[in-house]
Amino acid sequence: DADVTQTPRNRITKTGKRIMLECSQTKGHDRMYWYRQDPGLGLRLIYYSFDVKDINKGEISDGYSVSRQAQAKFSLSLESAIPNQTALYFCATSLDNDIQYFGAGTRLSVL
Amino acid sequence: GDSVTQMEGPVTLSEEAFLTINCTYTATGYPSLFWYVQYPGEGLQLLLKATKADDKGSNKGFEATYRKETTSFHLEKGSVQVSDSAVYFCALSDWNDYKLSFGAGTTVTVRA
């Protein structure tokens, strides 16, 4: 089983809908991250969490919210999806300021 | 702020060819440098890293040397295989920072 699991793997939704992307990890790390990947832009950080009570905005948090339900679970929500949120979303975990471990990604299309 | 610039792709090579992907960085502190690889349909995984100047990271035949004087961390492999087809990301993490700064990614396709 994967150390970092993202669900769903693919999602198509309509403009204005609320959706949630989920991430769970078995590595026992305190730190978790949400990124989006767009062609030619690399990965950009949306939100990060250093523990259950510590959640912070990243570079591009507008239009997104997160919930850290437990050490192992970190969910990303799009309150009202819009087409320019169509992207590949990755969850990651880390022990410290070193290696990050990524899930397989969620491909989201907003029509 | 910290940033990473890597060569644009896509790069297409024949099997057994030499691969170089250039990466330069800007950082205010003492960053650790990473190469991550993303195979088709998968998430990113660490390929190699270097934590201080003149360190060489290596893995799976790939190498990169941390060059502080040229602020570079170029990725090289002497003889690529079809299985090396992937997107490669250069990234840095400053010692007092929480986040990875990524380059735009370079798509590499190796043809048999």
Side-chain angles (χ1 to χ4, degrees):
Chain A
D1 288 342
D3 293 326
V4 183
T5 302
Q6 293 184 233
T7 56
R9 291 296 312 277
N10 294 280
R11 178 74 184 268
I12 300 173
T13 192
K14 294 182 178 180
T15 297
K17 294 293 187 181
R18 182 182 189 277
I19 67 162
M20 179 182 290
L21 309 183
E22 299 187 346
C23 177
S24 63
Q25 53 110 349
T26 59
K27 295 195 73 66
H29 292 165
D30 285 328
R31 299 186 180 192
M32 298 188 73
Y33 311 81
W34 274 105
Y35 293 91
R36 66 176 278 174
Q37 181 183 9
D38 298 278
L41 295 179
L43 275 71
R44 294 180 291 168
L45 184 64
I46 305 172
Y47 270 94
Y48 64 101
S49 170
F50 281 179
D51 64 40
V52 175
K53 296 182 180 180
D54 181 18
I55 294 177
N56 303 279
K57 294 181 178 180
E59 307 168 56
I60 53 165
S61 60
D62 287 350
Y64 301 95
S65 62
V66 291
S67 173
R68 186 80 184 267
Q69 300 95 327
Q71 186 204 36
K73 295 184 182 297
F74 193 36
S75 301
L76 176 72
S77 293
L78 284 67
E79 300 301 326
S80 179
I82 56 176
N84 76 0
Q85 292 178 312
T86 293
L88 188 53
Y89 291 85
F90 287 105
C91 174
T93 74
S94 72
L95 185 62
D96 50 28
N97 287 355
D98 196 36
I99 302 166
Q100 292 188 14
Y101 299 85
F102 287 79
T106 295
R107 187 169 296 279
L108 175 67
S109 295
V110 183
L111 304 179
Chain B
D2 296 347
S3 66
V4 175
T5 302
Q6 66 181 99
M7 68 180 272
E8 295 184 14
V11 174
T12 302
L13 302 165
S14 297
E15 227 172 5
E16 299 184 2
F18 185 85
L19 171 67
T20 299
I21 304 175
N22 290 339
C23 172
T24 57
Y25 68 90
T26 302
T28 53
Y30 305 93
S32 294
L33 301 174
F34 307 84
W35 278 99
Y36 281 82
V37 59
Q38 182 182 22
Y39 298 107
E42 299 182 11
L44 282 73
Q45 57 185 273
L46 180 70
L47 180 59
L48 53 84
K49 72 171 190 176
T51 57
K52 61 183 188 295
D54 300 325
D55 269 1
K56 177 184 285 187
S58 61
N59 186 26
K60 298 182 180 181
F62 289 89
E63 292 183 340
T65 301
Y66 188 143
R67 301 288 189 196
K68 189 175 181 181
E69 64 275 13
T70 55
T71 62
S72 64
F73 192 54
H74 304 322
L75 183 68
E76 298 182 336
K77 185 173 185 181
S79 178
V80 293
Q81 305 300 312
V82 172
S83 58
D84 294 324
S85 298
V87 183
Y88 293 83
F89 292 93
C90 186
L92 72 81
S93 173
D94 215 334
W95 69 276
N96 63 347
D97 202 355
Y98 58 88
K99 71 181 185 75
L100 283 174
S101 296
F102 285 91
T106 302
T107 300
V108 174
T109 301
V110 180
R111 294 181 175 171

